[in-house]
Every structure is written in C-alpha cells, then in structure tokens.
Amino acid sequence: MFISVVKFTLILSLFLFSLCTIANDKVIDVSDFGAIKDTGSDSTHSLYKALQEAKKIGATKITFPKGRYDFYEERAADRLMYISNNDPGIKRITFPLSSFNNLEIDGNNSTFIFHGGLVPFILDESSHIVLRNFSIDFSRAFHSEALIAGAGKGYLDLKFTDQFPYKINEAGILKFQSQLFQASGIKNKDRLKRKQISQDEYKYEYKRVLEFNFALREPEYMAQDIFTGNALRAEKLNGGDVVRIFHPNLKAKVGNILVFQAKHRDYPGVVISDSNNVELHNITIHHAGGMGVIAQRSHNITIKDSKVSPSKGRIVSTTADATHFVNCTGKIKLIDNLFESQKDDATNIHGIYAAIDKIIDDKTVEIKLQHPQQFGFDFIAPEDELELVHGPSLITYGSALVAKSTRVSNEVTRIEFVKPFDSRLQKGDSVAEVRDYAHVIIKGNTIRKNRARGMLLNSRGKTLVENNYFHTSGSAILFEGDANFWFEQGGVRNITIKNNIFENSFYSQWGQGVIAVDAGIDEQFKETSRYNKNIVIKGNTFKVFDKAPILNLFSVSNLVFENNIIEKTTEYPERKKYDSLFLINNSDNITISINNILQGFSESKSQLLSPTTYKRAKN
C-alpha cells in the first residue's frame, strides 16, 4: 500500500511538472531568438521570429529582458494601411500583430528605439492583447525644434542641436534631414548615401511653426500657428552656428523654442484596428510621427498608467493627438495617464460621416468619404443601420438598414438599402453608422503643455470625466462633430464632468472657452438644432486668469453647471476682450446654479454667473 502511494505521488508530481513545463513553454523570451539589448543592433528579424513562434505554439506572453532594443526600417515588413485621421499608404511595421489572440508583450521597462519611417505597433483583427512596461521613441523626431537666438521684422535667428539635422539647399531653402551627410571617400557609396538622405527629407517636411515657452515647456501665451509651407528661405550666420529664416509673419521671443510642425501623419505609435479587448499598461510614448495611439473599429480599449511625454532634449512628444478613437464600441478607458506636450489633443473620440454623393434609385446611393485622412476607411456592412443626417444642421431625420455595400474606390462606396430610404435624403446629406456607441471612462489623467485642446468628447454612449487635471493652451473639453470638413460624427447624449481641476486652460488660440461647443452647424440652423444633450458639470475647480468663457455653448439642450469652484488667478496676463464667463446661445434647459463658488473676483456673484446671451429655438 505504501509503495502504491509513493508511486501515485511520484506520477502526480511528474504530471504537475509537465504541466508547468508546458505552461512555461507558452512564454517566449526574445533573446532566445537573437535579440541583443544595449548594442544598437537591429532586433527586427529576431522579433519577427519570436512573433512567428508565438503564433505557431499559441504563446500567451513575449518578454524582453530589460534594456534598450533598436529597430530599423530596412528589415521591417510593409503593408498598405488606411488609418483614420492619419495619412494612408505603405507602412513599415515593427510589431505586426495581425490575427493574434490572448497575447501579452512585456518589455520589463525596456526602451524601444525606432530608426526611420516606422509604425512601431499595428494590432489588426486581434483580441485580448496586452502591451506592458516599455517606452517608444525615435532616434530622429519627425518634427524639428530650434532655440530662438534672435528676432527681427520678418526673420528669426535659430540654433539647432544635433538632434535636428538640416541643410540649406542650393535654392536657399531650409530642409530637414534624417542625418547629416558624412563623406566616406568612396564615390559611388557617397552618391547612394546622399540620394538616400535626400529621399528621406520627405519624412521631415514641415508646414507651420509654433513658439514654445522655454521655461514653462508649453506653447507661448497667445502664440499662434504660423503657416510657412515647407520652403522657408534661410541663410547661415556667424560661421554656420546660427540659421536665419525669413517669412513676413515670423515673430517670437528670444530664448524660446520654435517648433517646426511635421507636415505628414505617416508614423503613429500604436495602431489598433478591427480588434477587441486591448490594454496598454505602463507604456511611455516619447514620440510618434502622427498620433500616439489610434484605435479604429475596435471594441473595449484600456490605456492605464501610461504616458505620452517628450524625451530629454525635446519639447514636443507626438506630432498629433496623444490618443484617438474612431467608430469604436464597448468601453474606452483612459485611467491614470499623463498626456503632455503633444502637438494636438489628448484624445478625440468620434464616429465617421460620409456624404451622399449620388442617388441612383430609391434604395441605392453612393456615399463619399470627404477628408483625405479618411480615405479607405471601411465602416459599412450588410445589416448595419445608418442614420440619415442633414449636413448643414447635423439633424438626424431618419435611418435605413443596409442590404449590400460595395466599395467603388478608396473614397466611394455604393450602398443598397433594404427598403426605400426617406424621401428627404438628398445629395450633400451624410450618413453614419448607428452602433453600440462607446461607454467612455476618463479618470485620474493629467493633460498639460500641449498645443490645441484637451479632449474632444463626441461619443453618444455614457461618458464620465472625473478627477482629471487640465492645463491646455486651447479648450480643455470640446464638443465637436461636423459634416463639412473633418466629417466626424459626434453629439453627446449623456456626459458627466465632475471633480476635475481646470487650471488656466484656454490661454491661447485653440477653441472658444474652457469647455466649449464647436459643432459644424450652419448659422441659420443653430436655433433649431440640438446636437449635444444631457451634460452635467459639477464639483470641479476652474482656475482662470480672466473672464474668458468657462462655458461657450450653442445648440445644446439640458445642461447643469453646479457646485463648482471658480477661482481667479494671476499667472497669465488678463485679456480685456473677454467679459463673460458664460456664453450660451440657442440652447434650452441650461442651469447655472447659484451654489457655484467664486473666489478672487471684484464683480458680484450674480453678475458673473449670468450668461451673456440666451436664445431659445423658434417655434
């Protein structure tokens, strides 16, 4: 009996050991496939082998021993990608996570450095993916920065560091490069190198400049974008240490930083497309040549304990939004993150409108995507329900079920409906998908020091914005949506904004107030359209340095502003052109409670809490 027990115990132990071995086999270490840290060598091929093995054996985790890993574009796989609100085209992808399921990538706080025109991560048709514990940066940023050493009428004198290589070409035009040319003495080799560097100039083209405050590391007070194109006239001064650029609109303070905005959005950091249940934890995105994270047509996305923040020696992080979500469903969670110094918004959550381009018969239309950065975006399938929208007013007047959808080109799709559509539908109106609008939870984030706005919130699902800190040059929160330029579907239906701190936001040119509406509604329809509805703003602290609008609204119904603290500060010069904290036009059921607390103002409470205008819809 004793021997039988011993045998049973031994067999059970061996069985459990084999299970552990099998489980351990599900974890892949990239160093086993040749990835070498801290050497500057290219880890791309080793990573691809690890990804192939992970898919083959159904691995649940890929790990990187802590260190620096470098990835170069020469060995990266390429693929044609249509990424909403970024530029379409052939993308070279370092982490091509296509059709992966139940996979975690853990960097163990490693640094991932990308060299050249790369998209670091693309998740496509994947599910239950976790990215954890690493940072993303590029050896050469896609924008450029310079110290302002001198200023005069129509010119600025600039000093560039080695991080931002440039040349002044034969025509006297400033061009930025991937690297400075260094001759090897071998004629053909040097010719090829010059040609490669010249071709790479496309990646670093600029379209406008913006002044940043050197000390505060943020856009300069009341600074504006100066549109220059990619051909600024330039010359070298003082033996080449200083570059003088010329443009009639140039003006800035000596000692500040001039940022050259990247012309293209070709290289976002993390792309999530047609995927579900994706989580990013403790990820730092120092830079990307586009958006930090862009998710499209995906379900349940969480970004937690992560950062978009510039690396040492730069004042700008990503060249566009920190995060962006298009036609997403389920839950979008942004929890305890830092979004700073990006060249656009911290987030934008919206759908897509497509315009009616041609009516073929009473059940068939052709729709056309309007903005070039939406071309190729597929969002309509059989059995989908589409809302029918009057373009100039953004009023939804009907819906229709799709029987068949056929793409004609990257811009045009032919739609056949199940039944004849509403007779009011006409060319120039728009359609958008009626879907499980995302439930948005934004809690515990810090948004600061960026160009433009904080958050563009346009999901029709329940939205909660709680315990965040905002210090933005433009509007901290913007309700947008339009069918005349970006063609972004918006119109909130249930949003609560509570217990946040808004500190000296809207100190520059982007927006019309700390919390504002900028929906694309033609003036003649603002009295009848009610695009944004059911907004509660309570328990927040607004620190303001003048009487610029805290709320600037139009075409809104059902808004409550209560139990907030409004505190006067002196951190920026007061702008005399503003004289009302509340501008409310063409809106209904707006409550600005007397229980809001005001501190530091000379005017009376009733005077400050009274909206400047208030118009009701015509009967």
Side-chain angles (χ1 to χ4, degrees):
M1 180 69 178
F2 175 77
I3 295 174
S4 298
V5 171
V6 171
K7 285 183 177 180
F8 174 78
T9 303
L10 180 60
I11 292 170
L12 179 61
S13 298
L14 290 171
F15 175 73
L16 292 174
F17 177 78
S18 67
L19 286 180
C20 291
T21 302
I22 292 171
N24 287 335
D25 286 343
K26 298 293 186 178
V27 178
I28 286 179
D29 186 325
V30 294
S31 62
D32 293 336
F33 294 83
I36 304 174
K37 64 181 182 178
D38 302 327
T39 63
S41 60
D42 190 356
S43 293
T44 304
H45 183 61
S46 300
L47 170 63
Y48 283 5
K49 290 193 294 182
L51 289 173
Q52 290 168 0
E53 182 67 12
K55 183 170 284 189
K56 178 181 176 181
I57 69 171
T60 57
K61 190 172 186 178
I62 297 175
T63 66
F64 287 76
K66 184 178 180 180
R68 167 176 165 155
Y69 296 86
D70 291 79
F71 304 95
Y72 295 79
E73 63 182 359
E74 289 83 0
R75 288 177 174 80
D78 52 28
R79 176 182 169 189
L80 177 62
M81 290 292 297
Y82 297 98
I83 304 170
S84 183
N85 293 75
N86 288 259
D87 293 326
I90 300 294
K91 309 295 181 186
R92 292 195 173 190
I93 309 161
T94 304
F95 286 76
L97 302 178
S98 182
S99 301
F100 276 85
N101 299 298
N102 300 304
L103 178 66
E104 176 180 342
I105 296 179
D106 189 342
N108 289 301
N109 295 317
S110 291
T111 299
F112 295 164
I113 302 294
F114 300 87
H115 301 262
L118 289 165
V119 177
F121 285 82
I122 289 185
L123 286 64
D124 183 37
E125 296 185 344
S126 294
S127 66
H128 297 90
I129 305 296
V130 178
L131 306 181
R132 189 189 303 276
N133 302 330
F134 57 81
S135 65
I136 292 172
D137 204 356
F138 283 77
S139 58
R140 203 297 187 203
F142 295 102
H143 72 284
S144 295
E145 303 174 8
L147 178 69
I148 301 168
K153 186 176 181 180
Y155 73 85
L156 293 175
D157 294 339
L158 307 176
K159 287 187 175 181
F160 293 96
T161 68
D162 292 341
Q163 283 199 59
F164 306 104
Y166 69 92
K167 73 175 183 181
I168 298 174
N169 67 15
E170 296 82 357
I173 301 300
L174 177 66
K175 297 290 184 181
F176 292 104
Q177 300 179 294
S178 58
Q179 58 184 292
L180 293 175
F181 173 75
Q182 294 180 340
S184 67
I186 303 174
K187 183 178 180 180
N188 284 341
K189 183 177 180 180
D190 286 348
R191 287 176 62 194
L192 288 172
K193 189 66 174 178
R194 284 183 186 274
K195 186 175 182 63
Q196 180 63 52
I197 292 174
S198 178
Q199 288 177 337
D200 280 349
E201 288 177 9
Y202 163 85
K203 301 170 186 173
Y204 308 101
E205 290 180 341
Y206 54 94
K207 60 181 179 181
R208 60 180 182 241
V209 296
L210 178 65
E211 179 186 5
F212 275 67
N213 186 290
F214 179 85
L216 298 177
R217 315 298 288 177
E218 67 183 23
E220 177 62 32
Y221 169 75
M222 294 304 290
Q224 301 183 52
D225 290 316
I226 301 172
F227 290 84
T228 61
N230 186 50
L232 279 171
R233 186 166 64 87
E235 62 184 32
K236 288 189 176 183
L237 306 178
N238 302 334
D241 291 337
V242 176
V243 175
R244 176 168 290 180
I245 60 172
F246 300 89
H247 190 279
N249 296 331
L250 287 176
K251 59 179 180 179
K253 296 178 182 177
V254 173
N256 277 347
I257 300 294
L258 192 71
V259 174
F260 292 76
Q261 171 63 31
K263 182 178 180 180
H264 309 289
R265 294 182 176 185
D266 278 326
Y267 311 109
V270 179
V271 178
I272 304 167
S273 183
D274 301 290
S275 297
N276 66 79
N277 298 297
V278 176
E279 300 182 18
L280 278 64
H281 294 274
N282 190 31
I283 303 299
T284 296
I285 300 177
H286 289 303
H287 183 69
M291 294 170 179
V293 179
I294 166 68
Q296 59 185 19
R297 300 183 304 264
S298 293
H299 183 80
N300 290 344
I301 310 294
T302 297
I303 303 176
K304 189 175 188 299
D305 297 321
S306 295
K307 298 177 183 178
V308 172
S309 180
S311 52
K312 186 177 180 180
R314 298 184 194 143
I315 205 166
V316 164
S317 55
T318 59
T319 64
D321 299 351
T323 67
H324 202 107
F325 303 86
V326 184
N327 272 51
C328 289
T329 58
K331 289 186 177 180
I332 296 172
K333 297 181 181 180
L334 302 177
I335 311 293
D336 297 332
N337 302 294
L338 170 64
F339 302 125
E340 67 175 356
S341 305
Q342 64 273 4
K343 279 302 292 296
D344 220 324
D345 315 311
T347 198
N348 188 351
I349 303 170
H350 64 87
I352 292 289
Y353 286 126
I356 301 296
D357 190 62
K358 185 178 182 180
I359 296 177
I360 296 172
D361 57 40
D362 65 353
K363 293 199 296 184
T364 309
V365 299
E366 287 185 349
I367 62 172
K368 184 178 180 181
L369 295 166
Q370 297 295 306
H371 197 283
Q373 289 178 338
Q374 293 173 353
F375 290 176
F377 186 86
D378 285 324
F379 70 102
I380 297 174
E383 300 184 6
D384 281 351
E385 180 183 1
L386 301 184
E387 65 169 343
L388 310 179
V389 180
H390 179 238
S393 68
L394 296 180
I395 293 174
T396 299
Y397 56 82
S399 65
L401 289 176
V402 176
K404 185 178 180 181
S405 173
T406 305
R407 182 194 272 197
V408 177
S409 67
N410 289 338
E411 299 139 72
V412 176
T413 299
R414 177 170 291 193
I415 304 294
E416 296 179 30
F417 294 111
V418 173
K419 298 178 180 179
F421 50 74
D422 192 302
S423 60
R424 290 172 290 182
L425 184 71
Q426 59 184 325
K427 183 176 179 179
D429 284 354
S430 289
V431 298
E433 181 188 13
V434 177
R435 59 194 181 280
D436 167 27
Y437 298 108
H439 176 191
V440 179
I441 301 170
I442 300 172
K443 297 179 68 173
N445 302 283
T446 295
I447 301 98
R448 65 187 185 190
K449 300 184 179 182
N450 61 297
R451 172 193 173 275
R453 293 71 54 99
M455 295 186 167
L456 277 61
L457 302 178
N458 301 297
S459 176
R460 295 181 184 177
K462 184 177 180 180
T463 299
L464 174 65
V465 182
E466 182 178 17
N467 294 327
N468 302 284
Y469 171 86
F470 294 87
H471 173 59
T472 56
S473 54
S475 296
I477 293 176
L478 190 67
F479 303 116
E480 208 173 34
D482 73 81
N484 57 26
F485 183 73
W486 281 105
F487 282 78
E488 295 178 351
Q489 179 200 39
V492 297
R493 297 294 183 265
N494 181 356
I495 181 169
T496 299
I497 302 167
K498 67 178 184 179
N499 302 332
N500 303 282
I501 296 174
F502 298 88
E503 184 166 14
N504 297 314
S505 288
F506 185 49
Y507 67 83
S508 195
Q509 304 288 328
W510 298 278
Q512 299 296 326
V514 178
I515 298 176
V517 167
D518 192 24
I521 301 171
D522 285 4
E523 196 65 37
Q524 62 180 314
F525 296 108
K526 287 182 179 179
E527 291 193 58
T528 53
S529 181
R530 294 294 178 267
Y531 193 58
N532 291 285
K533 305 173 182 179
N534 306 320
I535 302 169
V536 175
I537 304 169
K538 64 180 182 180
N540 303 283
T541 297
F542 294 88
K543 298 182 179 183
V544 300
F545 58 92
D546 59 17
K547 292 196 289 294
I550 289 174
L551 292 183
N552 192 336
L553 312 175
F554 62 85
S555 302
V556 171
S557 65
N558 302 324
L559 180 144
V560 175
F561 185 91
E562 64 181 4
N563 293 315
N564 299 287
I565 298 172
I566 304 172
E567 176 186 335
K568 183 76 181 307
T569 73
T570 58
E571 294 181 30
Y572 294 88
E574 186 170 347
R575 297 166 293 188
K576 300 301 182 182
K577 67 178 181 178
Y578 295 115
D579 59 5
S580 179
L581 296 176
F582 300 93
L583 292 178
I584 301 173
N585 290 285
N586 300 308
S587 297
D588 296 307
N589 300 320
I590 308 299
T591 300
I592 300 174
S593 175
I594 197 67
N595 66 14
N596 292 291
I597 298 171
L598 291 102
Q599 300 173 346
F601 293 90
S602 58
E603 296 88 347
S604 69
K605 186 175 186 178
S606 60
Q607 180 182 355
L608 289 169
L609 292 178
S610 297
T612 294
T613 58
Y614 190 97
K615 297 180 182 178
R616 292 188 179 276
K618 293 180 179 179
N619 294 324

